[in-house]
Amino acid sequence: MKKDLISITDYSKEEYLKIMKLASEFEENPNQDLLKGKVVASLFFEPSTRTRLSFETAINRLGGKVIGFADPGSSSASKGETLHDTIKMVSNYVDLIVMRHPLEGAARYAAEVSPVPVINAGDGANQHPTQTLLDMYSILKTQGTLDNINIFMVGDLKYGRTVHSLLMAMSEFENPIFNFVAPYELQMPNEYKIFLEEKGIKYFEHKEFNDIISEADIIYMTRVQKERFPDPIEYEKVKNVYILRNSMLEKTKANLKILHPLPRVNEIHSDVDSNKKAYYFTQALNGVFTREAIITHTMNLK
Ligand code: CP
């Protein structure tokens, strides 16, 4: 049976741990010819810098070949070809499909159509499971554990798919504490809060976090997702809602790390970049090793 990765819940806790171990091995030794003779399609129907380029780097480091597009305007989707037909065609050419698409559920649909495995590189505001695995790898590397982590998720918790996937994955580990910091308009959707409640996991909701930032092990900042707002006026109201500044980090824990899936707009001031607690650029590098791990696991090569 093919191993798609569409939602983070497609993997068990054992698989999360296997990916962490493989990522660490790939970090030690990134160039391995495990994909020699294989072709991977990289289909990006939505803009991307990190996800696409780190996937393509991972494929190259594994000795595979990449085909695809970074702009759907250069594909026959622009002539009206359906996702069904695009996937039917591309799956004839390749051994694996990596796809980003603006519609929630598009990746699951592609996996149903495709005889070769599909990896979801982000579907609308829904899920971004490979980002979550690299986030977990970053947490494990910096905290030494995935248990007992107090995570502050800050910003656009409504449309930010990375926080949805991360919340679900971290709920598999011992005693996570979630602090959700968002304005009313961008609160964590109820379905995710119900998910935590059913598992008996604690979460707290805040409008501000200056006074409680000293409790955090991880601050996971997010960009307000302009492209997902139905009404641009609503975006204007909340676009500058939180800006993390270096001065706010004075009384934080020694082990604190600041993560961000990137790209950032202005939610982390550039004066944070030189603080040793800023981890977001290394986090993005971790994406290469984690995606090498995901690809080899998906293709039963490791
Ligand atoms: N983190 C992330 O998904 O970044 P890109 O949109 O640049 O791929």
Side-chain angles (χ1 to χ4, degrees), residues 39-54:
V39 182
V40 180
S42 165
L43 308 182
F44 278 72
F45 291 86
E46 228 188 19
S48 168
T49 296
R50 276 146 295 275
T51 310
R52 185 173 69 82
L53 296 181
S54 63

Side-chain angles (χ1 to χ4, degrees), residues 81-130:
E81 185 166 58
T82 62
L83 181 61
H84 173 276
D85 289 2
T86 301
I87 296 298
K88 269 279 174 218
M89 287 311 309
V90 173
S91 62
N92 285 334
Y93 304 149
V94 299
D95 303 288
L96 172 69
I97 294 173
V98 175
M99 186 180 90
R100 171 172 288 186
H101 199 283
L103 290 181
E104 293 181 25
R108 183 71 70 197
Y109 180 65
E112 283 166 13
V113 171
S114 170
V116 302
V118 174
I119 296 176
N120 180 8
D123 62 329
N126 187 31
Q127 286 265 325
H128 195 350
T130 67

Side-chain angles (χ1 to χ4, degrees), residues 207-220:
K207 298 279 186 305
E208 297 296 337
F209 67 119
N210 264 0
D211 293 345
I212 49 171
I213 198 170
S214 60
E215 297 167 16
D217 298 309
I218 296 290
I219 297 177
Y220 195 97

